[in-house]
Amino acid sequence: MLHHIELYVSNLEESREFWSWLLDKLGYQLFQRWEKGFSWKLGDTYLVFVQTEDEYQEPRYHRRRTGLNHLAFFAESRDEVDYFTAELQKKGVSVLYQHAHPFAGGKDHYAVYFEDPDRMKVEIAAPE
């Protein structure tokens, strides 16, 4: 089982706004909050978000460079994937791979793909 993931972000407030509603809807609970970060927990696993110090802001993150490509979460159903898709669009968040949505991951993989404020790809997938 995964213990935690720690992500450094370029703008803590933007990331807090983006991730808080999403993680809340996925069943996570706010776990910790401090001046330079926050974390959300589900079961024994938690996600930590920390403000990147100015001297480390460049080069900017890009999911196609070496390192983390994306985080993928389970939805409870296809209807929940559709709910997240609609909410993301209301918030002005671009859904990736529009030409193949919601089957961009293959004909048996129902999911929505999008980016956080630092352009990290996030996926929410329905159970198969």
Side-chain angles (χ1 to χ4, degrees):
M1 173 174 280
L2 188 64
H3 188 270
H4 73 276
I5 296 172
E6 187 167 323
L7 304 169
Y8 276 64
V9 298
S10 64
N11 185 310
L12 188 64
E13 288 309 312
E14 280 183 11
S15 292
R16 187 184 329 268
E17 182 178 330
F18 179 87
W19 284 98
S20 292
W21 77 270
L22 179 64
L23 293 173
D24 182 59
K25 294 293 184 188
L26 288 168
Y28 285 74
Q29 294 183 339
L30 185 62
F31 179 50
Q32 298 167 317
R33 188 173 180 165
W34 63 100
E35 182 184 348
K36 299 281 185 177
F38 61 96
S39 64
W40 284 76
K41 188 173 186 176
L42 179 64
D44 292 329
T45 302
Y46 60 98
L47 299 173
V48 181
F49 300 85
V50 178
Q51 175 64 54
T52 303
E53 295 178 27
D54 289 341
E55 63 195 86
Y56 298 111
Q57 289 281 352
E58 296 296 332
R60 302 268 313 183
Y61 168 83
H62 196 288
R63 68 178 186 266
R64 291 189 177 179
R65 290 190 187 122
T66 301
L68 183 67
N69 176 268
H70 72 283
L71 295 175
F73 298 90
F74 272 115
E76 291 183 5
S77 65
R78 287 183 174 197
D79 286 343
E80 190 173 42
V81 170
D82 294 341
Y83 164 80
F84 279 113
T85 302
E87 288 299 307
L88 290 162
Q89 290 169 334
K90 283 183 201 173
K91 292 177 177 293
V93 176
S94 296
V95 172
L96 301 173
Y97 320 121
Q98 280 285 335
H99 66 284
H101 175 76
F103 294 103
K107 65 182 177 78
D108 296 324
H109 189 70
Y110 197 93
V112 60
Y113 299 86
F114 52 99
E115 292 178 326
D116 84 343
D118 284 310
R119 301 202 60 209
M120 181 186 308
K121 185 167 64 173
V122 182
E123 172 185 352
I124 300 176
E128 297 190 16

